[in-house]
Amino acid sequence: HNRQILERNLATVEDALGVKVKKGYSCGSREYHHCMERLANEQSAVDSERSDESSLSVALNATVVIETEQACRRGKLRNDGNFEVGAGMGLHQIRTVFNRYANRSSELILEQKKERDESEAFADRATYEFGLQRVYKVSTAPMVSYEEMSQALVHLLNKDEAEKSAIRNLLVGQTVGITGRGQTCHVADDGSVVVPYNFS
C-alpha cells in the first residue's frame, strides 16, 4: 500500500517538475516518502492555476536527487549535470535551483554523453583486439569517470604488438572492469578481471 502511495506521489512530483526524481544515499526511506507526499500535496493545491514554468529551462534528461535535509539545505548542481535538493525544499525552491543551473546542467549532460560514447567506442575496439567478452566501467568506489576509462583503454590499445600479444594471451575470453586509482589488479567476485585506470 505504501509503495502505491509513493509511486502515485512520485508521478505527480515528476509531472510537476518535468524531470525524473530519485532518492539520494543520505535520505532515509521515511524522509523520502514524507518529502514526496508533501510535494505532491503542494502540487495538488496549485493545480487549478498550474504553470509550466517548471520544465521550460531544464534539460529533460537531468534527474533530481533528493538528499536528507541536514545534508542539503540549498540545492546544487552535481558534476554529472543532475540536481541535488534537500528533502525539506518546496516546489518553488526546487524550480529556482533548476533555473539557476539549467544551462550548465545541459552542458554537463552533453559532455558526459560525449565522454560515455567515446569510452564505449574504445571499449568495443579493445574487446575486438584482445578477444575479450566485454569491458565495463566499475560502478563502485573508487569511482572512475568515462574520460579515465578512455585513458586506460587508449593506453592498452597503444602498446606495441609484442605486448598486445602477451596481454591477449592473458585476457582472451575474459570480462575486464576498469576501476578508479588506488586499486590493484584483482579478480572480482563475478570472475571478471578488474584493473585501475592508471595501470602501467
Side-chain angles (χ1 to χ4, degrees):
H1 179 64
N2 277 353
R3 181 103 201 125
Q4 288 170 319
I5 294 172
L6 175 66
E7 281 169 8
R8 196 166 58 240
N9 288 336
L10 181 61
T12 303
V13 174
E14 287 184 335
D15 187 45
L17 294 171
V19 290
K20 283 259 165 249
V21 175
K22 72 173 192 178
K23 184 175 87 63
Y25 290 120
S26 72
C27 189
S29 294
R30 198 168 168 177
E31 188 177 16
Y32 182 65
H33 278 254
H34 281 314
C35 173
M36 288 302 107
E37 187 179 9
R38 186 177 46 74
L39 292 175
N41 289 340
E42 190 183 325
Q43 182 55 31
S44 304
V46 296
D47 256 345
S48 49
E49 39 168 323
R50 179 167 179 197
S51 77
D52 280 326
E53 60 168 325
S54 54
S55 49
L56 279 182
S57 55
V58 178
L60 289 177
N61 34 5
T63 300
V64 172
V65 184
I66 309 282
E67 295 292 0
T68 185
E69 200 173 353
Q70 289 78 11
C72 184
R73 296 200 182 279
R74 292 176 26 230
K76 65 179 189 183
L77 186 63
R78 291 185 163 185
N79 293 338
D80 59 4
N82 290 323
F83 300 94
E84 186 177 303
V85 299
M89 293 173 77
L91 289 174
H92 179 70
Q93 288 171 293
I94 295 172
R95 288 187 180 122
T96 304
V97 174
F98 283 177
N99 292 330
R100 187 182 310 139
Y101 298 119
N103 292 342
R104 185 67 189 127
S105 167
S106 302
E107 287 167 14
L108 286 168
I109 285 170
L110 277 173
E111 280 169 28
Q112 284 267 313
K113 186 187 180 320
K114 194 172 150 222
E115 285 174 10
R116 185 172 65 240
D117 291 350
E118 209 169 73
S119 82
E120 281 170 5
F122 286 128
D124 288 345
R125 245 184 81 194
T127 301
Y128 174 75
E129 280 208 32
F130 296 100
L132 305 173
Q133 249 181 340
R134 73 180 183 107
V135 178
Y136 69 97
K137 177 178 174 288
V138 176
S139 55
T140 50
M143 299 306 275
V144 63
S145 68
Y146 286 110
E147 195 178 0
E148 289 164 342
M149 181 167 168
S150 293
Q151 187 184 317
L153 294 169
V154 167
H155 178 61
L156 202 55
L157 291 162
N158 284 344
K159 290 196 176 286
D160 63 38
E161 281 313 312
E163 275 191 288
K164 275 187 180 176
S165 178
I167 292 168
R168 197 176 294 115
N169 289 338
L170 279 173
L171 295 179
V172 69
Q174 299 285 348
T175 296
V176 174
I178 310 287
T179 188
R181 73 167 61 241
Q183 290 275 29
T184 52
C185 294
H186 65 279
V187 177
D189 294 343
D190 64 1
S192 58
V193 177
V194 177
V195 294
Y197 81 89
N198 59 334
F199 67 91
S200 53

